Amino acid sequence: MAQEFPESTTVRAALGVAGRTQNPFGAAGWRWDPLPGGLGLRIADFQDETISATERPRLRLAGTQHRTTPQEHGEPAPETAVLAAGAALHAAVLAFAAFGWHAAVREPRARGHLAALAFSPRAAEPSDIDRAAALVRCRADRRPYLGWALRPDQADALTAAAEAMAVTAVVVPARAALVPALGGGRSEGPGSLLVLSTPRATVADRLRAGAATSAVLLAATTLGLSACALPQVRAAVGPVAPEVVVRAGVAA
C-alpha cells in the first residue's frame, strides 16, 4: 500500500524550502499544524502587546477554548496576514511537489484553520524542481522601473498564473499619479500594473489572492522580469477594487 503522508523528515525539508522564499507581503504570522493525514494552515496568535487588539489576527489554534474564529462571526482576519498566509500556502505546494508529493489544498476541517493540505505521492518532474528553485529566488524589486509596458506574451503569462488560482487578473497601464506610491523614480515609469481581484472580500478570497500573488511573482522571475506586490494600493486602479496590485517590468 502506497504511503499517503510524507515522512517527518520530508515535511520538515519541504517546509524548510518553502520558508526560504521571500513572502511578497513581508509577514510571518502563519503556522503549520499536523492534522490527521495532512497539515493545517493557520494564523498564529500574536502576543505582541504593541499591536492593538483590532490589528491582531483572530485565528487561533484549533481546539482552543473560549476563542472565536473569523468564520464564526464573519470578521475578517487582518488583510495582510491572510494574503501572506496564501502566499505561504502556494510556496508549500510547490516545495512538496519538488519532493515528490502532490499537496492538494482542501477546505479546513479543524477549527481556526484557513486551509488544509492533503497528500498523495507523485514522482517529481524536473519542472517541479525548477519551479521550487525559482520561487526561492523570487525577491520583491522595488527599484524604479523603466517605462516599458509588458509585451502581450508576458502579460498573458502573468495573468494566466493568477487565473490558475481562481483570481481575476487584468493588466493596466501604470498611471503617472501612482508613480510616487509605487516607488517610481525621477523620469522612470513604474512598468505595468497587474490588478488581482476576487468576487468578495472574504478570508477565502484573500487566501487565494495571496497564493495568486506568489504565482505571479514566480512567473515574473521565470520570465526575467522584476516585480513586487502592492497590497496597500486599493480602489486606485481602474474600475475594480483590487485585492492586490502587482507591479511588473524591467528595473532601471
Side-chain angles (χ1 to χ4, degrees):
M1 181 176 178
Q3 183 184 10
E4 295 300 330
F5 189 81
E7 296 180 352
S8 59
T9 53
T10 301
V11 172
R12 286 195 294 269
L15 293 182
V17 170
R20 289 176 56 199
T21 66
Q22 184 188 75
N23 194 286
F25 303 102
W30 63 89
R31 295 292 184 272
W32 291 102
D33 294 330
L35 298 176
L39 294 174
L41 176 67
R42 67 180 173 92
I43 295 177
D45 182 0
F46 281 33
Q47 299 295 334
D48 189 346
E49 295 301 324
T50 65
I51 302 176
S52 69
T54 56
E55 291 174 330
R56 293 176 194 164
R58 297 184 178 90
L59 288 175
R60 304 298 191 244
L61 179 63
T64 301
Q65 299 299 317
H66 70 265
R67 288 175 175 173
T68 59
T69 66
Q71 294 89 337
E72 289 175 321
H73 295 291
E75 300 171 343
E79 297 170 359
T80 302
V82 178
L83 291 170
L89 183 65
H90 177 252
V93 169
L94 293 185
F96 276 107
F99 281 87
W101 287 90
H102 173 63
V105 179
R106 305 297 189 198
E107 290 291 328
R109 293 184 179 181
R111 182 171 178 259
H113 287 85
L114 291 165
L117 292 180
F119 296 96
S120 58
R122 181 179 67 85
E125 301 288 342
S127 58
D128 295 322
I129 298 172
D130 290 342
R131 277 191 292 270
L135 191 61
V136 171
R137 297 196 308 271
C138 281
R139 292 291 182 269
D141 193 338
R142 302 187 182 281
R143 293 176 295 173
Y145 285 22
L146 298 175
W148 304 333
L150 294 174
R151 300 194 311 264
D153 60 311
Q154 294 171 331
D156 289 346
L158 299 188
T159 56
E163 290 169 354
M165 302 292 165
V167 171
T168 301
V170 178
V171 176
V172 299
R175 294 181 180 178
L178 285 176
V179 172
L182 302 178
R186 300 163 295 279
S187 60
E188 297 88 353
S192 295
L193 302 180
L194 188 70
V195 181
L196 307 183
S197 58
T198 55
R200 299 170 300 279
T202 64
V203 171
D205 282 340
R206 289 202 174 104
L207 193 69
R208 287 197 301 274
T213 303
S214 177
V216 168
L217 266 61
L218 172 61
T221 298
T222 303
L223 293 171
L225 298 171
S226 296
C228 62
L230 305 163
Q232 73 278 15
V233 179
R234 291 180 173 274
V237 185
V240 298
E243 286 288 350
V244 181
V245 176
V246 175
R247 180 174 64 138
V250 178

